Amino acid sequence: MTRPRKDPTAWRSTPEGREKYRAARERAQALANELGFDHGLEANDVFREFRVFMLPAKANRYGFELRCEVVMCGYLDKCQPGHGPLA
């Protein structure tokens, strides 16, 4: 007899998960605005946290860099070449 599997992503819908997402999203936006580089936001279901990391230029993204949520700089004049909505 097998047990039903638990959804490993269910934590994201909890109040704690939503708060962790909001904090990580704010951190990613602040870094993108400060540096002018796109940042990625990725959920880690094993450790139940969100990871924020700098992304390479749009033409050089591969693998997980294409699957993450991209947070772009909010100021077009600060966007670095290959980053932002105009890249």
Side-chain angles (χ1 to χ4, degrees):
M1 183 165 175
T2 61
R3 291 187 300 167
R5 288 185 156 203
K6 291 183 180 178
D7 181 12
T9 63
W11 70 274
R12 298 181 201 177
S13 300
T14 65
E16 179 187 6
R18 286 190 295 271
E19 178 60 29
K20 286 182 178 182
Y21 171 79
R22 187 193 59 74
R25 180 71 167 78
E26 286 179 2
R27 188 170 66 251
Q29 189 66 61
L31 286 168
N33 289 342
E34 178 184 344
L35 303 173
F37 292 100
D38 296 343
H39 279 69
L41 182 62
E42 182 180 57
N44 184 327
D45 294 325
V46 174
F47 295 107
R48 296 184 178 192
E49 65 183 16
F50 288 90
R51 185 171 80 102
V52 175
F53 49 93
M54 188 184 299
L55 290 169
K58 195 171 191 176
N60 299 325
R61 295 180 191 164
Y62 301 96
F64 75 94
E65 297 164 344
L66 297 173
R67 294 187 303 267
C68 68
E69 178 180 344
V70 177
V71 180
M72 296 180 188
C73 180
Y75 308 106
L76 292 178
D77 59 330
K78 284 193 78 174
C79 288
Q80 300 294 323
H83 295 271
L86 303 178

